Amino acid sequence: MASPFSVFRRNQRVLLAIVAITAMVAFVFLDPLMKYVGRRAKSENPIVVETKYGSLNYVQLESMRASRELVEHFLQNVTAKTVMSQLNKGLIDPRLRDQAMNQLFGFWQQMLMGRSKPGPEESAIETWILSRKAEQLGMVVSDRAINDLLRQITDNSLDGDELQATIHELQAGGRRRISVARLFDAIRTEMLASKVSQLFFQSLRDIPPAQRFEYYERLNRRAKVEVMPLAVASFVGQVSEEPNNEALRAFYEAHKNSYPDATSPEPGFKEPKRASFQYFKADFAKLKDEFKPQVTEDEIREYYEKNKSQFRAVELPSEKATEENAAEESKEAPPKSDDAAPEAKDEKQSQPPKTEGDKKESPQQNPADAAKPNEPTPPEAKPGSEPQAGGPRSTIRLVSQQTAGEAASDEAKAAPADEKPAEPATKPPAEAPAKEAATEPAEAPDAKADLPKAPAAGAEAADQDATENDAKEPAEEIKYEPLEKVADTIRDSIAAQKANARMLEIFEELQAAMRRYADERDLFNARPEAQKSTPPPVFPFEELAKPKNVEAKALVLVTAAEAAQTDIGQVQRVVRRSQFDFQSVPFAEFAFADSFVVYKPEAGQDGEGNGYLFWKTEEKLAFVPQLDKIRDKVVFAWKLTKARDKARRRADELAGQARTAKKPLNEVFAGEGDLKVTETNPFSWLSAPNVPQDPSGSLPRISQVDGVEHPGDEFMETVFNLSPGEIGVALNQPKDTVYVIRLIEFDRPLEQLRDEFASEPPMRYLSAADAERRTVYVAWLDDVKKDAGLHWLRQPDVTKSRRAPAEGPPEEADL
């Protein structure tokens, strides 16, 4: 067989010529071609963010964003399974299941993933920068630390197989496999960012006494004032200066991506999403009143017999009996030292704030524990239990993942304890009154006999004793309210049932008409040739409402904020967030979502029972208008910021007149027709939530004041720094109104307030400090980002996830 080189030798001149020509072509054209390909690749994956830690391109940013979504959905699934596991063990009241799931997930999501920026890209970059800052400070999160966190989240109630199944559920609908290592890396980044944030936030917990009293005063001191508003817009005409093109362009660019906000001093030129709606409204109270006369006596009697348990008579103790019981309790209560209570109180108040380590050990930090009854924790679910040493250990070790050797070791350690005689579950109180001890009959020390009879402290023991007494004694005769006494209540309930049934019947008929029109409209739009000769179908909106005795209403191209202020804006719809999570979503949120399509009828009710049948008829997406389209609006906003100084100077002049006159504002300016003076009701600087210990975690907020639109901290600070009779000037929160303020009086002297503060538990007023702590924390975050050299090369995306969470992050985009 001839050698391959023999062919080359025979044709070496031709082949060398071809190689030489190819080299010359490559020398001329290959370099520009490669540069073009490189530029195209860079344009498809551009650099988005620059920092001192390195630059991030689009794919890397998407990976960060997807990693946060992965952790969030893992937390949602694992907390839901934790609650279900505790529910199966009887540790949670079944009626509190959904509440426990929401609280547990919300607690850990905020603890681990809470960031200052709401946008997904901004929060992802903030997480990455904080994690790099933590690494720079020498912080390390090991796999064992992640396992400890999972053990704490699950209260040690899920084993390794259950956690593996939870991870597999994340990838069930996706194209890529999510490994445990990938999930741990995502959690590690969140933990680093969370820990460095918590370390700084803990430095803000120690508050000196003088500042504590200031927070107490903001919640508890009430002022009554006179206010006289001056609208800043009325001074725009006095601004003679006109912005040049460069200044106007810079002002427009700075605010073009912000939405208008009535509570913000900064303007916004981005047009929000708008939509039009048609809806039928059925007045529930009116329908119920129509059915009340139609309710017969036979219906009332039948309802009473079927639902008799609702009308069980409850005998309240008389005032005399209550006083006798109180006197008896005071006799039996052990004497208390007068000095003991203040010492205990001071000791409680002087306890240092709990650190993160304390939170892990304290069962109160886990929201799921709040729903647990007072029952002993089973041995297999003890919080904080550590896997025993011994046996093979994997690189990634899941919670409660024990080997057979470890389980045998645990059994061997537990064996000697099992040989000891069992002790009663409850023991007699050590300090029981001597009188009770003397009346107790002596019994043999039989553990089986003592267990059900042993006295126990607390409500649970009382329930057990009551159950035993009910079993021994004959049941008392149950008494019910007479029919004559509850007849009106029953008539109201029956009328409400009939009104709801009638409302449903009306809406079914109207909904059928709406669907027929939607089909006709779709058919008309699908036939372009018929549109030239046939007019479009018309929906007889108002004509359908009249015979049904319902109202026909419409909203025309309103924003979500505008819709929320209407009657239909009070409608809420229950949606399913996950397998176990159902939440109520307000109309302004679900009706403006992209998934809510036009001409699809929906029904709902408001808090008063009124029924609504509605659909969306038109929508316009949010957009940024061009400067030449809104030039007059931008010029007015620019001049409005300049007019604030002029309005304040005029307010100072009017305040000077009032100080000279030394009279109330309504007397000094009684003859001024354009000046309106309002006397307010007493108000405090901050108002606490209406519900004590609000589970939603809402913080105290600026109080509403009669005659003042959107009061802010500047207004409140001015008011509460005045003395009775003094006059001050302040802008409101959006800085569109200046107020001349005269303090009439405070509700109580400062000395009395100080005495009350001395006996007030700190937990009742320290929530007022959270707003300022948040401000300091956000300023610290800004300094961290500034130190990192954060620079966005484009506007960050504020939309929600672009991919389904189940798909998981792209493995090839790992950082």
Side-chain angles (χ1 to χ4, degrees):
M1 182 176 180
S3 172
F5 288 101
S6 61
V7 179
F8 178 78
R9 283 194 296 269
R10 285 196 303 270
N11 304 282
Q12 58 182 346
R13 292 184 179 180
V14 177
L15 292 176
L16 286 174
I18 294 174
V19 170
I21 295 173
T22 304
M24 287 188 292
V25 171
F27 181 78
V28 175
F29 297 104
L30 186 59
D31 184 61
L33 180 62
M34 294 303 295
K35 289 182 179 179
Y36 170 76
V37 173
R39 282 196 300 269
R40 183 177 179 183
K42 289 182 180 179
S43 64
E44 294 177 353
N45 186 26
I47 299 296
V48 179
V49 177
E50 294 178 344
T51 70
K52 75 174 186 179
Y53 301 118
S55 299
L56 301 174
N57 56 37
Y58 174 80
V59 174
Q60 291 172 320
L61 181 57
E62 281 297 290
S63 177
M64 292 179 181
R65 177 172 171 161
S67 293
R68 283 182 56 80
E69 293 174 7
L70 172 64
V71 175
E72 182 177 10
H73 287 277
F74 173 75
L75 285 177
Q76 192 171 31
N77 292 353
V78 80
T79 51
K81 287 190 174 183
T82 298
V83 172
M84 292 302 298
S85 175
Q86 294 174 342
L87 180 65
N88 295 334
K89 294 176 183 178
L91 302 177
I92 294 180
D93 189 334
R95 295 170 297 181
L96 302 177
R97 185 196 68 175
D98 295 339
Q99 180 182 353
M101 287 180 180
N102 291 334
Q103 288 186 355
L104 188 62
F105 169 67
F107 174 83
W108 286 110
Q109 183 194 39
Q110 179 63 31
M111 178 68 70
L112 190 63
M113 306 182 64
R115 300 291 174 261
S116 66
K117 298 295 185 181
E121 288 190 348
E122 287 184 298
S123 60
I125 291 298
E126 183 175 293
T127 301
W128 181 68
I129 290 177
L130 286 173
S131 66
R132 297 303 298 268
K133 179 70 174 179
E135 292 174 349
Q136 185 180 1
L137 295 174
M139 299 178 63
V140 177
V141 174
S142 63
D143 292 339
R144 181 174 180 179
I146 299 175
N147 277 295
D148 290 341
L149 175 68
L150 295 181
R151 187 179 298 112
Q152 187 178 0
I153 293 173
T154 62
D155 202 13
N156 210 32
S157 58
L158 302 181
D159 57 23
D161 294 337
E162 290 173 307
L163 287 173
Q164 286 280 10
T166 304
I167 297 174
H168 289 317
E169 290 174 3
L170 294 175
Q171 68 189 42
R175 299 187 299 271
R176 299 183 181 90
R177 179 180 179 83
I178 298 173
S179 64
V180 177
R182 177 56 190 260
L183 175 63
F184 270 41
D185 286 342
I187 295 176
R188 180 177 290 106
T189 301
E190 298 293 338
M191 287 183 68
L192 285 168
S194 176
K195 290 297 181 183
V196 73
S197 298
Q198 291 171 14
L199 284 176
F200 176 79
F201 204 79
Q202 285 174 4
S203 66
L204 306 176
R205 293 185 180 275
D206 293 332
I207 303 175
Q211 195 170 359
R212 290 188 176 212
F213 175 70
E214 181 181 341
Y215 294 132
Y216 175 81
E217 186 182 7
R218 291 184 183 184
L219 281 169
N220 295 278
R221 197 176 199 192
R222 297 165 65 83
K224 186 177 182 181
V225 301
E226 285 183 305
V227 292
M228 185 172 66
L230 299 176
V232 175
S234 61
F235 293 87
V236 170
Q238 299 181 19
V239 180
S240 58
E241 180 184 1
E242 292 290 335
N244 56 40
N245 291 334
E246 291 76 12
L248 194 65
R249 169 64 66 178
F251 187 76
Y252 166 79
E253 292 292 336
H255 304 288
K256 71 176 184 180
N257 291 301
S258 300
Y259 290 107
D261 185 358
T263 64
S264 174
E266 299 296 331
F269 303 127
K270 186 173 183 178
E271 286 293 329
K273 184 177 183 179
R274 295 180 177 271
S276 297
F277 301 91
Q278 290 179 334
Y279 62 98
F280 299 102
K281 178 181 178 181
D283 192 323
F284 174 73
K286 183 178 179 181
L287 284 173
K288 188 173 68 171
D289 290 341
E290 291 177 0
F291 279 105
K292 274 187 179 181
Q294 304 176 19
V295 179
T296 65
E297 297 297 328
D298 292 338
E299 289 177 320
I300 294 175
R301 189 175 297 103
E302 180 182 1
Y303 185 95
Y304 178 77
E305 294 298 333
K306 288 184 178 180
N307 303 276
K308 209 168 185 179
S309 60
Q310 299 179 7
F311 309 106
R312 190 171 178 175
V314 179
E315 296 183 2
L316 298 176
S318 63
E319 183 177 352
K320 182 178 181 181
T322 304
E323 293 177 355
E324 292 177 354
N325 292 337
E328 187 68 22
E329 290 178 1
S330 63
K331 290 180 182 179
E332 296 180 358
K336 295 183 180 180
S337 172
D338 295 338
D339 299 333
E343 287 184 7
K345 188 192 308 176
D346 293 341
E347 182 180 353
K348 181 178 180 181
Q349 292 183 2
S350 63
Q351 290 179 353
K354 293 183 178 181
T355 61
E356 186 62 23
D358 297 332
K359 289 182 180 180
K360 291 183 179 180
E361 296 176 2
S362 174
Q364 296 178 356
Q365 296 300 325
N366 195 331
D369 294 339
K372 297 181 183 179
N374 296 327
E375 297 182 5
T377 305
E380 68 273 14
K382 287 182 180 179
S385 59
E386 294 284 346
Q388 301 295 328
R393 295 174 63 92
S394 60
T395 304
I396 305 299
R397 184 179 180 83
L398 291 174
V399 173
S400 303
Q401 187 174 348
Q402 290 184 330
T403 62
E406 294 171 350
S409 175
D410 290 345
E411 293 178 2
K413 293 181 180 179
D418 296 338
E419 295 175 1
K420 296 181 181 180
E423 295 182 1
T426 56
K427 297 181 180 180
E431 299 179 2
K435 183 179 178 180
E436 293 184 8
T439 58
E440 288 290 338
E443 297 183 3
D446 185 359
K448 295 182 179 179
D450 288 344
L451 184 58
K453 297 180 181 179
E460 191 173 337
D463 293 341
Q464 293 177 358
D465 294 341
T467 305
E468 293 172 6
N469 293 334
D470 291 343
K472 294 177 182 178
E473 300 178 2
E476 296 181 2
E477 181 182 358
I478 300 176
K479 297 181 180 180
Y480 300 96
E481 298 286 356
L483 177 60
E484 296 77 12
K485 186 176 181 180
V486 297
D488 290 339
T489 303
I490 295 176
R491 179 178 286 105
D492 190 79
S493 298
I494 295 175
Q497 293 177 359
K498 291 185 176 183
N500 279 320
R502 177 56 182 160
M503 192 186 304
L504 181 62
E505 179 183 345
I506 292 173
F507 281 175
E508 285 178 351
E509 296 174 2
L510 292 174
Q511 195 169 30
M514 296 170 76
R515 288 173 176 167
R516 284 195 299 270
Y517 170 77
D519 293 340
E520 294 175 1
R521 178 178 174 276
D522 292 340
L523 184 62
F524 177 82
N525 292 334
R527 300 171 60 185
E529 67 281 357
Q531 296 178 9
K532 299 178 181 179
S533 57
T534 307
V538 178
F539 181 59
F541 182 53
E542 296 182 356
E543 289 76 4
L544 288 171
K546 291 179 181 179
K548 303 296 183 183
N549 200 19
V550 296
E551 294 182 81
K553 294 187 173 183
L555 299 177
V556 180
L557 291 179
V558 295
T559 65
E562 293 169 345
Q565 304 302 319
T566 64
D567 53 358
I568 195 174
Q570 312 311 308
V571 173
Q572 293 195 348
R573 184 172 68 176
V574 177
V575 298
R576 183 172 183 170
R577 300 289 190 184
S578 65
Q579 182 180 359
F580 306 106
D581 186 13
F582 295 87
Q583 294 184 2
S584 295
V585 180
F587 177 84
E589 182 175 341
F590 73 79
F592 284 81
D594 295 336
S595 57
F596 195 86
V597 297
V598 296
Y599 291 104
K600 180 183 177 182
E602 295 276 352
Q605 284 186 298
D606 60 18
E608 298 179 353
N610 301 316
Y612 297 83
L613 180 64
F614 53 92
W615 61 11
K616 185 191 295 183
T617 59
E618 183 185 5
E619 66 178 357
K620 289 186 176 181
L621 300 179
F623 68 97
V624 178
Q626 298 295 325
L627 175 57
D628 57 347
K629 301 289 185 181
I630 57 169
R631 183 180 180 85
D632 293 341
K633 181 179 180 180
V634 178
V635 170
F636 180 82
W638 185 88
K639 287 188 174 183
L640 191 67
T641 61
K642 303 295 183 181
R644 291 168 182 167
D645 292 337
K646 297 183 179 297
R648 181 180 281 275
R649 282 196 293 270
R650 177 55 179 163
D652 289 334
E653 293 174 1
L654 296 175
Q657 295 179 22
R659 292 189 188 101
T660 303
K662 296 181 180 181
K663 294 180 180 180
L665 298 182
N666 56 8
E667 295 182 15
V668 177
F669 303 104
E672 303 289 342
D674 57 340
L675 297 178
K676 180 182 178 182
V677 178
T678 303
E679 185 174 306
T680 70
N681 292 325
F683 61 91
S684 58
W685 186 325
L686 298 176
S687 295
N690 293 330
V691 181
Q693 297 180 354
D694 187 2
S696 66
S698 57
L699 301 175
R701 56 183 64 89
I702 299 290
S703 301
Q704 299 297 317
V705 182
D706 302 330
V708 180
E709 292 289 335
H710 308 296
D713 285 323
E714 180 184 342
F715 178 88
M716 293 298 180
E717 186 176 3
T718 301
V719 169
F720 287 91
N721 282 333
L722 295 175
S723 298
E726 285 189 338
I727 297 173
V729 174
L731 283 159
N732 63 350
Q733 178 66 27
K735 296 184 178 181
D736 59 2
T737 307
V738 185
Y739 290 91
V740 180
I741 308 163
R742 177 182 174 270
L743 177 63
I744 298 175
E745 62 180 1
F746 289 117
D747 61 341
R748 47 192 159 172
L750 197 61
E751 293 74 15
Q752 179 183 347
L753 204 66
R754 291 187 186 278
D755 293 339
E756 295 172 357
F757 163 73
S759 60
E760 189 80 359
M763 63 176 292
R764 295 187 181 178
Y765 59 82
L766 281 185
S767 59
D770 290 342
E772 291 189 1
R773 289 175 182 167
R774 182 70 177 173
T775 302
V776 175
Y777 172 72
V778 171
W780 171 77
L781 279 178
D782 292 340
D783 288 341
V784 171
K785 295 171 189 175
K786 184 177 180 180
D787 178 69
L790 175 62
H791 175 61
W792 285 88
L793 300 181
R794 63 159 172 80
Q795 287 292 331
D797 188 9
V798 295
T799 59
K800 295 182 179 179
S801 172
R802 300 191 188 93
R803 62 168 65 87
E807 294 183 7
E811 296 288 350
E812 65 272 13
D814 289 349
L815 296 178

